[in-house]
Amino acid sequence: MKRLSLVFLMVLMPFASVAQALDEEEVKRLALEAILENPDIIMEAVAIIREREAAAEAESRDLVLSQQRELLEQDPNAPTIGSADSSAVIVEFFDYNCPYCQRAAADVKALMATDSDIRVVYREWPILGDGSVFAARAALASQKQGQYEAFHFALMEAKGRKTEASVLRIAKDVGLDLDKLTEDMKAPEVDAHIETTMELAQALGFNGTPAFVIGDALVPGAVSVDQLKELVAEARE
């Protein structure tokens, strides 16, 4: 038990603190003996370190969420659906070529059909290739023609991979002016939105699409309509 306690002391305290009571060689000898007698000590020590890292990461994400709340929910450069004074806000990070995002889009649409007191903020996060980048830029540019919502869901509901050709075809079907659209895709606010989305996703610890911020909850991955309802209810509380 004495040796076990020593090893945990070494994990939980800086080496210098332990060395004040024991010289370096004695610490090494006792630690090695303890490990040989009880190899599980290594796994237990690793678990402690991982718990510390996870707690530190969670604390960092909570701090980012607190500091960036206004940018996440009120960014004037981010497309939104719903009224400005809704009691719950869903921030969605997505890619048009992500099949899970397509399913999530349908779930969000279904949720909004049953709950009009929700606002969705869209963060275009094109991480799946050139087609995704083109689709994201086109969707953001469609705001200039007041067609973001229709174009967004048309892109999400279209079968197959989104490419430049398929995006422009869908844009035409929606009724967008293609000449204006392609010109507006070059606007600096389009670059700014995508760059900001990348920075926010990284800061919040997201590593794939879809991902959501709902109240104080950071939700990586697709969730069902029922789960969305629960998260919205928690956010309202």
Side-chain angles (χ1 to χ4, degrees), residues 8-232:
F8 276 102
L9 184 64
M10 293 169 63
V11 172
L12 296 172
M13 295 178 61
F15 178 80
S17 298
V18 179
Q20 289 177 358
L22 300 169
D23 63 49
E24 185 175 351
E25 291 304 317
E26 180 68 3
V27 169
K28 289 179 179 179
R29 183 182 66 78
L30 292 174
L32 179 59
E33 288 181 8
I35 290 169
L36 291 174
E37 290 179 9
N38 186 358
D40 289 342
I41 290 174
I42 295 296
M43 296 306 298
E44 293 170 8
V46 169
I48 290 172
I49 293 170
R50 286 177 176 169
E51 286 177 5
R52 281 180 173 179
E53 291 175 345
E57 289 173 1
E59 184 177 354
S60 175
R61 289 193 295 268
D62 288 343
L63 180 60
V64 170
L65 182 56
S66 174
Q67 292 175 337
Q68 302 296 338
R69 174 77 66 185
E70 184 174 353
L71 180 61
L72 282 163
E73 297 185 354
Q74 305 294 336
D75 183 1
N77 197 21
T80 64
I81 296 176
S83 63
D85 58 352
S86 297
S87 65
V89 179
I90 297 174
V91 183
E92 180 181 357
F93 292 71
F94 66 93
D95 183 303
Y96 286 111
N97 277 317
C98 165
Y100 301 103
C101 296
Q102 293 169 355
R103 188 179 77 189
D107 289 337
V108 170
K109 190 175 185 179
L111 176 64
M112 295 194 73
T114 61
D115 188 339
S116 61
D117 193 25
I118 293 174
R119 180 164 56 90
V120 180
V121 179
Y122 290 104
R123 300 291 340 177
E124 301 273 352
W125 190 18
I127 57 176
L128 298 176
D130 292 342
S132 296
V133 173
F134 189 89
R137 297 184 73 87
L140 291 166
S142 72
Q143 293 184 92
K144 294 285 185 69
Q145 299 184 49
Q147 292 274 44
Y148 181 85
E149 182 175 354
F151 191 32
H152 169 79
F153 286 112
L155 286 168
M156 282 299 187
E157 293 164 7
K159 303 297 183 183
R161 186 166 182 81
K162 308 308 179 297
T163 63
E164 180 175 345
S166 65
V167 169
L168 291 176
R169 183 176 64 252
I170 295 166
K172 184 177 180 180
D173 291 342
V174 169
L176 287 160
D177 180 328
L178 298 189
D179 290 337
K180 178 173 174 51
L181 184 74
T182 53
E183 185 62 30
D184 290 338
M185 287 171 65
K186 304 171 188 176
E189 55 265 33
V190 171
D191 293 323
H193 175 96
I194 294 174
E195 182 179 348
T196 298
T197 299
M198 297 286 188
E199 292 171 353
L200 286 170
Q202 182 178 13
L204 292 169
F206 293 145
N207 54 26
T209 55
F212 300 87
V213 178
I214 307 175
D216 292 330
L218 302 178
V219 188
V223 291
S224 68
V225 175
D226 288 341
Q227 289 172 309
L228 284 172
K229 288 180 179 178
E230 291 176 4
L231 289 163
V232 166

